[in-house]
């Protein structure tokens, strides 16, 4: 077949003609380029001229690395071992690699061709067949090569000439021979995309499962998808076009078993020729080509039906079918690499690669070597191990139901066996199916008996959750709103302890909120934090409008809630009777008793019902970011052991001290300064106790609990954290407050226009009054939500805490002049960086969950947030 991934028989490969001077040298974008030429032929100069320096792996440079001497021939074995290692790493990472060595010996080239095949890339030979005299003269002009005997050049040239005619037989898929200095100087490199590289096609697509000759069902499916059929003068469908410009993609196996293979081919070929469809090769097309070529093929599995039906067509149509099927390639990489279509699926390491091994996997998949009770091979469950970024859509093995497995989906629902013909709308991820008109072909194995192998035996497909290998070691997580976020190995280990021992049911754990950065340090007397610094920071980022929200002193709580048990089962896969979860910033359950969790969720659900939010957002689940009050509801141990103990000890000791000093003063001792200082310390201790006492009150069941929602992060099909402004979020929270004002707490707020000094002054005065009366402070956010500044996403919010609240954080006497001066030297950079990274990861986990990605992909980002929490950052910030 005419596919870069198809290895042709060596006897059929013609020798390449010499490259015409000035014509481009075709080089696949992903390939192993092997430069071949004697010493002095100009290979290194050619490599520097035509390839980026990082792409070139030089044998001389490798000798220098292992021996400190590029001409030390005794180091050649080690140097080439290093060269092959470096080249292998680059090829594994999908990078064009150029080998700069003489490569005149067949054995040296064989090792490089083998290396290319191991990494499923094409080997390309560029031969610099420069006259021997030129090479000798060039070496004589080089100080490090002046002593190289001319006989060495002569021997190298003989080896080159002897092997030149066999380069294609050795396995090089492209061979370019430059026969003079002029040809070398005039050469240019022309990069070729692989035939399977359609990353520039972004869709939208309708990916259609195995048709197997069921033309009527294909027509029905195309009509359901919105395509308009075109028919020839005999009424046969020969094309279908979508009015919105969508493209159909067939996963192969158009032929065999069904009633009208020619009709299916006529329609599919017409769509593809008109640019309305794409198609990859199925194993049945591969076998049909061999049968049409008269090769010895076992006529089974429906091939006889196709051959008989094609006998009723004219010779031109049969030739057209043969050419079409022979020209199908193994797989397509589409939409910037986000979508891969292959008949039997494709492991990540094969995406975009070119080899016989890749083609075989794409058409046939892998088997365990076993057979099931029906005598059919047991398929290896490659999808269970899949961890790739790209969505993989495939067919080949018929299944009863469409089921996502780690961002892969099998679309063969057995239409020819009386099942359904299925498609997936991409990027919408919307499945569309139509029933078979009848059982056209009796299956050997019933659809409901489709099985996959596992280490434990034969099982149904597993949805795939986070695996140890997904989180151990140093990790890099791609966050689409920030870029790469790195998690160090030691931080991952700390997170693993929390996630494995203390976290809620992982199916509910789809998001962790970020830490929040404090505003800049204030220099105003009596203030460590002040709104002026928060406003200035956003002004510097080019943000004009802000929303200042009251900061509730409670505990951060994430509420994920399903409308009912059916929604919990359908969207979250939970079947234990729970309808949601309430968990902390570190993923731990907020309440120990499941009954209390459900009681809280029932209260939240009732408010959502009353407010009409389910219908407004067209969803049956919500993800809410909230504050749960009082602080003592979750932090009683912290309050009792740390804050209350400090306050009690300070009050007791300082009360006694002031009493003693008062008695001393009464006896005429001069203790005025010491007494005044102790009085101030006692006042600070009392203020400290008052500060944390404001955030504590008794709770009995749900009595006394309050929930302050401030962000509706996500609902069915929507990541509101990115798409909605903070006005929208707080307005929706107000609806819940109005629905149940006894349980929900309103978040006060002010809108600030940074170009309006009156607006700035009014918000500042509001903050001062609120904090003076016992409020913690405020959170300052961009009014329009997610905002990208000149240096990337701006902070989603900064906290500006009041002077009295900060006593809890920095101690009763932090406002003493010396203490305040010292605290003003606090470093905020690491905390701000942490907040930005965790924010991006939180958005990423929501994006992945809303997009229907597998749970392990969601948890990859969630786990990273938890891991970053173990970075050494001052917890008081």
């Amino acid at each position: 077949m005419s596919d870069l991934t198809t290895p042709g028989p060596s006897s059929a490969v013609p020798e390449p003609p010499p490259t015409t001077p000035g014509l481009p040298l075709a080089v696949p974008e992903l390939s192993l380029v092997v430069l071949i030429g004697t010493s002095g032929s100009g290979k290194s100069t050619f490599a520097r001229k035509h390839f980026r320096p990082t792409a070139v792996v030089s044998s001389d440079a490798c000798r220098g690395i292992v021996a400190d001497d590029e001409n030390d021939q005794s180091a050649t074995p080690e140097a080439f071992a290093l060269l092959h290692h470096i080249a292998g790493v680059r090829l594994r990472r999908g990078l064009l690699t150029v080998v700069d060595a003489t490569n005149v010996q067949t054995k040296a080239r064989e090792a490089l061709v083998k290396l290319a095949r191991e990494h499923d890339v094409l080997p390309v030979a560029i031969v610099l067949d420069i006259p021997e005299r030129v090479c000798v003269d060039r070496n004589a002009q080089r100080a490090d090569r002046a002593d190289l005997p001319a006989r060495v050049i002569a021997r190298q040239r003989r080896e080159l000439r002897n092997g030149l005619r066999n380069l294609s037989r050795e396995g090089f898929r492209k061979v370019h021979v430059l026969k003079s200095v002029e040809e070398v100087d005039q050469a240019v490199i022309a990069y070729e995309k692989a035939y399977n590289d359609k990353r520039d096609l972004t869709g939208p697509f309708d990916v259609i499962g195995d048709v197997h000759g069921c033309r009527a069902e294909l027509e029905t499916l195309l009509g359901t998808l919105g395509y308009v059929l075109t028919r020839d003068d005999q009424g046969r469908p020969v094309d279908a076009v979508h009015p919105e410009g969508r493209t159909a993609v067939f996963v192969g196996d158009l032929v065999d078993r069904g009633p009208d293979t020619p009709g299916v081919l006529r329609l599919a070929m017409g769509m593809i020729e008109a640019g309305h469809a794409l198609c990859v090769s199925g194993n049945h097309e591969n076998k049909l080509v061999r049968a049409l070529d008269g090769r010895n093929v076992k006529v089974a599995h429906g091939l006889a039906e196709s051959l008989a039906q094609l006998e009723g067509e004219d010779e031109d149509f049969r030739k057209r079918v043969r050419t079409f099927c022979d020209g199908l390639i193994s797989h397509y990489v589409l939409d910037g690499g986000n979508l891969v279509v292959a008949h039997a699926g494709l492991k990540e390491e094969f995406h975009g690669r070119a080899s016989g091994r890749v083609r075989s996997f794409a058409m046939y998949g892998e088997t365990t070597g076993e057979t099931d009770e029906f005598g059919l091979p047991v398929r290896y469950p490659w999808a269970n191990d899949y961890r790739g970024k790209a969505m993989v859509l495939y067919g080949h093995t018929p299944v009863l139901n469409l089921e996502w497995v780690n961002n892969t989906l099998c679309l063969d629902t057995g239409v020819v066996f009386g099942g359904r013909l299925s498609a997936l709308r991409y990027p919408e991820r919307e499945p569309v199916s139509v029933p078979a008109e009848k059982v056209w072909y009796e299956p050997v194995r019933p659809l409901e008996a489709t099985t996959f192998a596992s280490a434990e035996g034969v099982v149904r497909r597993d949805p795939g959750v986070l695996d140890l290998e997904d989180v151990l070691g140093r990790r890099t997580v791609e966050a689409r709103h920030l870029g790469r976020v790195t998690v160090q190995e030691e931080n991952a280990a700390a997170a693993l302890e929390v996630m494995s021992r203390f976290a809620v049911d992982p199916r509910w754990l789809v998001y962790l909120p970020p830490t929040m950065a404090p505003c800049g340090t204030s220099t105003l007397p009596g203030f460590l934090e002040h709104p002026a610094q928060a406003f200035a920071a956003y002004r510097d980022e080019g943000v004009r409008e802000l929303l200042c929200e009251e900061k509730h002193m409670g505990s951060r709580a994430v509420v994920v809630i399903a409308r009912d048990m059916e929604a919990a089962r359908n969207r979250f896969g939970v079947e234990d009777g729970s309808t949601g979860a309430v968990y902390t910033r570190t993923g731990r359950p907020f309440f120990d008793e499941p009954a209390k969790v459900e009681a809280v969720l029932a209260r939240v659900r009732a408010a959502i019902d009353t407010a009409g939010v389910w219908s407004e957002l067209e969803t049956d689940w919500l993800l809410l970011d909230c504050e749960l009050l009082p602080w003592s509801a979750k932090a009683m141990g912290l309050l009792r052991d740390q804050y209350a103990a400090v306050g009690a000890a300070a009050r007791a000791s300082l009360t006694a001290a002031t009493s003693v000093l008062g008695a001393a003063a009464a006896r005429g001792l001069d203790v005025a300064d010491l007494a005044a200082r102790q009085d101030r310390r006692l006042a600070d201790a009392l203020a400290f106790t008052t500060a944390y006492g404001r955030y504590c009150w008794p709770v009995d069941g749900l009595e006394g609990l309050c929930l302050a929602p401030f962000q509706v992060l996500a609902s069915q099909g929507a990541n509101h954290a990115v798409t909605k402004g903070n006005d929208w979020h707080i307005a929706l929270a107000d609806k819940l407050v109005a629905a149940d004002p006894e349980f929900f707490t309103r978040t006060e707020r002010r809108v600030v226009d940074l170009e309006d000094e009156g607006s700035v002054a009014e918000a500042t005065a509001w903050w001062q009054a609120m904090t003076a009366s016992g409020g913690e402070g405020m959170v300052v956010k961009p009014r329009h939500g997610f905002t990208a500044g000149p240096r990337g996403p701006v902070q989603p919010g900064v906290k500006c805490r009041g002077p009295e609240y900060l006593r809890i954080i920095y101690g009763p006497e932090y406002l003493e002049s010396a203490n305040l001066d010292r605290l003003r030297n606090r470093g905020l950079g690491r905390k701000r960086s942490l907040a930005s990274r965790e924010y991006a990861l939180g958005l990423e986990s929501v994006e992945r969950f809303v997009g229907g990605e597998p749970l392990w992909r969601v948890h990859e980002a969630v786990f990273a947030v938890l891991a970053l929490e173990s970075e050494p950052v001052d917890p008081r910030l």
Side-chain angles (χ1 to χ4, degrees):
M1 292 188 179
S2 56
D3 180 358
L4 279 180
T5 63
T6 307
S10 59
S11 61
V13 179
E15 287 304 318
T19 301
T20 303
L23 286 181
L25 311 184
V27 172
E29 289 180 341
L30 175 55
S31 58
L32 178 65
V33 178
V34 178
L35 300 181
I36 303 172
T38 62
S39 177
S41 61
K43 299 181 300 301
S44 297
T45 301
F46 184 90
R48 285 194 298 270
K49 177 180 178 182
H50 295 288
F51 303 101
R52 64 177 61 187
T54 52
V56 180
V57 188
S58 163
S59 60
D60 288 346
C62 288
R63 281 194 197 90
I65 291 173
V66 301
D68 284 337
D69 182 357
E70 294 188 355
N71 295 304
D72 184 352
Q73 297 302 310
S74 68
T76 293
E78 292 89 350
F80 273 88
L82 177 60
L83 182 149
H84 289 158
H85 174 73
I86 295 172
V89 170
R90 287 185 58 84
L91 294 176
R92 187 177 70 248
R93 295 178 61 86
L95 300 172
L96 174 79
T97 302
V98 180
V99 175
D100 176 13
T102 57
N103 295 315
V104 294
Q105 294 179 333
T106 302
K107 185 176 181 180
R109 296 192 298 270
E110 285 177 351
L112 293 172
V113 170
K114 179 182 178 183
L115 184 67
R117 287 174 175 165
E118 287 174 352
H119 292 87
D120 304 290
V121 302
L122 299 177
V124 176
I126 299 180
V127 183
L128 276 62
D129 188 13
I130 304 302
E132 183 177 335
R133 184 71 259 165
V134 174
C135 298
V136 171
D137 291 345
R138 286 177 175 175
N139 283 315
Q141 295 171 18
R142 291 178 54 179
D144 59 338
R145 298 282 176 86
D147 296 332
L148 185 68
R151 67 176 182 276
V152 172
I153 306 299
R155 173 178 55 77
Q156 290 179 350
R157 183 159 172 76
R158 284 196 303 273
E159 291 174 324
L160 183 151
R161 300 295 295 174
N162 288 338
L164 190 59
R165 65 175 64 90
N166 296 317
L167 291 177
S168 292
R169 292 187 177 88
E170 289 177 10
F172 288 99
R173 298 303 302 277
K174 290 181 181 293
V175 177
H176 303 293
V177 181
L178 304 173
K179 291 184 171 293
S180 67
V181 173
E182 291 74 23
E183 287 189 16
V184 172
D185 291 341
Q186 294 172 13
V188 292
I189 301 296
Y191 290 106
E192 292 182 338
K193 294 176 62 175
Y195 295 157
N196 55 44
D197 184 356
K198 300 292 184 183
R199 287 174 293 181
D200 56 312
L201 300 182
T202 58
F205 301 109
D206 297 303
V207 185
I208 300 173
D210 300 37
V211 181
H212 280 302
C214 298
R215 177 191 52 77
E217 288 87 346
L218 177 58
E219 289 187 39
T220 301
L221 178 64
L222 288 171
T224 303
L225 291 167
Y227 289 78
V228 179
L229 293 172
T230 301
R231 300 182 183 273
D232 62 12
D233 53 8
Q234 299 180 49
R236 301 175 300 187
V238 293
D239 191 10
V241 60
H242 200 285
E244 297 176 4
R246 301 180 70 91
T247 300
V249 185
F250 296 99
V251 303
D253 277 7
L254 299 170
V255 305
D256 293 352
R257 294 177 173 152
D260 192 0
T261 284
V264 170
L265 288 169
R266 185 176 289 106
L267 174 54
M269 290 190 300
M271 293 177 67
I272 292 164
E273 290 165 1
H276 301 146
L278 300 169
C279 184
V280 298
S281 178
N283 57 300
H284 282 261
E285 281 83 25
N286 180 269
K287 194 173 182 180
L288 178 60
V289 169
R290 289 183 284 137
L292 292 174
D293 286 345
R295 297 170 66 180
N296 186 18
V297 175
K298 183 178 180 181
V299 181
H301 305 297
L303 178 59
E305 285 77 1
S306 289
L307 293 175
Q309 292 163 16
L310 287 170
E311 279 300 315
E313 302 290 333
D314 59 41
E315 182 64 22
D316 287 343
F317 183 79
R318 288 196 295 273
K319 288 181 178 178
R320 184 180 164 210
V321 166
R322 193 267 173 208
T323 301
F324 166 74
C325 291
D326 188 50
L328 296 175
I329 66 170
S330 65
H331 70 285
Y332 280 124
V333 180
L334 302 159
D335 190 24
N338 293 315
L339 175 63
V340 170
V341 178
H343 176 62
L346 204 62
K347 297 188 290 189
E348 183 182 21
E349 57 264 35
F350 288 166
H351 294 180
R353 301 294 174 127
S355 71
R357 177 171 63 165
V358 172
R359 185 174 185 85
S360 176
F361 191 105
M363 286 197 300
Y364 295 96
E366 279 185 320
T367 66
T368 66
E370 304 167 290
T371 56
D372 61 18
E373 66 269 33
F374 304 101
L376 297 176
V378 176
R379 303 290 174 188
Y380 183 79
W382 66 272
N384 286 355
D385 302 325
Y386 182 71
R387 290 296 187 265
K389 172 187 173 184
M391 179 192 300
V392 180
L393 301 179
Y394 62 104
H396 187 53
T397 303
V399 294
L400 189 62
N401 297 304
L402 297 175
E403 184 180 2
W404 284 102
V405 182
N406 291 331
N407 212 25
T408 77
L409 185 67
C410 178
L411 290 169
D412 183 1
T413 45
V415 60
V416 76
F417 303 130
R420 294 169 295 149
L421 182 60
S422 296
L424 184 80
R425 287 190 172 114
Y426 176 94
E428 299 89 341
R429 298 175 71 102
E430 178 187 347
V432 178
S433 298
V434 298
E437 293 190 353
K438 59 180 289 187
V439 175
W440 298 106
Y441 196 91
E442 288 292 341
V444 175
R445 175 173 55 202
L447 288 181
E448 60 270 18
T450 298
T451 52
F452 289 79
S454 74
E456 296 77 28
V458 178
V459 298
R460 295 278 181 187
R461 297 189 184 201
D462 185 281
V465 294
L466 197 68
D467 186 86
L468 275 178
E469 293 185 359
D470 297 324
V471 297
L472 287 178
R474 188 174 186 269
R475 312 292 298 178
T476 299
V477 180
E478 291 285 349
R480 66 199 73 189
H481 297 295
L482 185 64
R484 293 182 174 181
V485 178
T486 300
V487 177
Q488 300 299 333
E489 183 174 3
E490 60 271 21
N491 302 130
L496 184 61
E497 172 77 3
V498 176
M499 186 77 90
S500 60
R501 294 184 59 191
F502 306 113
V504 297
D505 185 326
R507 291 169 294 186
W508 295 118
L509 191 60
V510 298
Y511 169 79
L512 284 180
T515 189
M516 186 170 292
C519 65
T521 302
S522 174
T523 58
L524 294 173
F527 291 97
L528 184 61
E529 296 180 6
H530 190 273
Q533 280 64 47
F535 296 157
Y538 280 116
R539 189 180 287 113
D540 290 344
E541 292 282 0
V543 180
R544 173 178 173 176
E545 291 188 301
L546 302 173
L547 186 67
C548 299
E549 297 179 0
E550 171 190 7
K551 191 175 190 305
H552 298 283
M553 182 50 188
S555 301
R556 192 76 168 267
V558 176
V559 177
V560 55
I561 184 168
R563 191 169 190 172
D564 49 36
M565 282 191 287
E566 182 180 359
R569 181 175 57 254
N570 291 341
R571 184 59 187 91
F572 296 90
V574 175
E575 297 183 340
D576 60 3
S578 61
T579 58
V582 182
Y583 55 87
T584 68
R585 275 201 63 235
T586 56
R588 302 171 188 241
F590 213 101
F591 305 106
D592 295 330
E593 310 88 4
K596 190 168 184 178
V597 175
E598 286 300 318
V600 170
L601 293 173
R603 196 77 177 259
V604 174
R605 188 177 297 108
I608 295 172
D609 286 337
T610 302
V613 176
W614 299 123
S615 57
E616 178 181 343
L617 300 183
E618 298 180 343
T619 187
D620 56 8
W621 62 270
L622 287 175
L623 179 63
L624 306 174
D625 205 352
C626 313
E627 195 83 4
L628 197 144
L629 290 76
W631 187 27
S632 53
K634 189 63 179 174
M636 182 56 76
L638 179 69
L639 284 164
R640 181 179 56 249
D641 299 337
Q642 182 170 322
Y643 297 109
V646 170
R651 292 194 308 275
S653 61
L654 291 170
T655 298
T658 55
S659 177
V660 170
L661 289 171
R667 291 198 300 271
L669 296 176
D670 184 11
V671 292
D673 289 345
L674 181 58
R677 183 168 184 274
Q678 297 308 309
D679 286 342
R680 290 197 305 273
R681 295 186 67 197
L682 178 58
D684 286 340
L686 293 172
F688 173 78
T689 301
T690 301
Y692 72 73
R694 293 188 179 103
Y695 311 124
C696 308
W697 58 79
V699 173
D700 182 11
L702 297 192
E703 188 68 30
L705 276 182
C706 297
L707 194 66
F710 52 84
Q711 195 167 26
V712 181
L713 292 162
S715 61
Q716 182 63 40
N719 180 358
H720 304 301
V722 172
T723 60
K724 297 293 195 300
N726 282 308
D727 280 344
W728 180 89
H729 288 281
I730 207 70
L732 205 59
D734 284 347
K735 292 184 179 181
L736 299 180
V737 175
D740 187 352
E742 292 184 1
F743 183 70
F744 288 94
T745 296
R746 174 180 165 84
T747 298
E748 297 297 334
R749 77 299 304 249
R750 295 291 187 277
V751 175
V752 178
D753 183 345
L754 292 179
E755 295 185 6
D756 181 350
E757 290 302 322
S759 174
V760 171
E762 194 277 333
T764 303
W766 171 68
W767 175 84
Q768 290 174 325
M770 177 174 54
T771 55
S773 62
E776 177 186 344
M778 68 181 179
V779 177
V780 184
K781 303 177 176 180
R783 184 180 183 185
H784 300 296
F786 175 80
T787 304
R791 293 175 290 276
V794 305
Q795 291 286 356
V798 296
K799 55 188 177 184
C800 183
R801 298 165 290 185
E804 290 306 311
Y805 169 78
L806 286 175
R807 287 186 191 277
I808 304 173
I809 305 303
Y810 290 106
E813 300 172 33
Y814 90 101
L815 283 175
E816 289 288 327
S817 179
N819 293 336
L820 194 56
D821 288 343
R822 176 175 51 80
L823 288 172
R824 283 179 173 143
N825 292 322
R826 60 183 185 163
L828 303 178
R830 296 193 68 160
K831 179 74 168 185
R832 287 171 172 168
S833 170
L834 183 64
S836 294
R837 286 176 285 147
E838 290 185 358
Y839 172 53
L841 289 167
L843 293 179
E844 183 64 22
S845 67
V846 175
E847 291 274 14
R848 294 180 181 186
F849 181 72
V850 168
E853 296 194 31
L855 192 57
W856 75 266
R857 284 271 295 162
V858 178
H859 281 170
E860 183 182 46
V862 171
F863 186 91
V865 174
L866 190 58
L868 293 183
E869 277 296 297
S870 61
E871 286 193 358
V873 175
D874 186 347
R876 301 173 300 174
L877 294 176

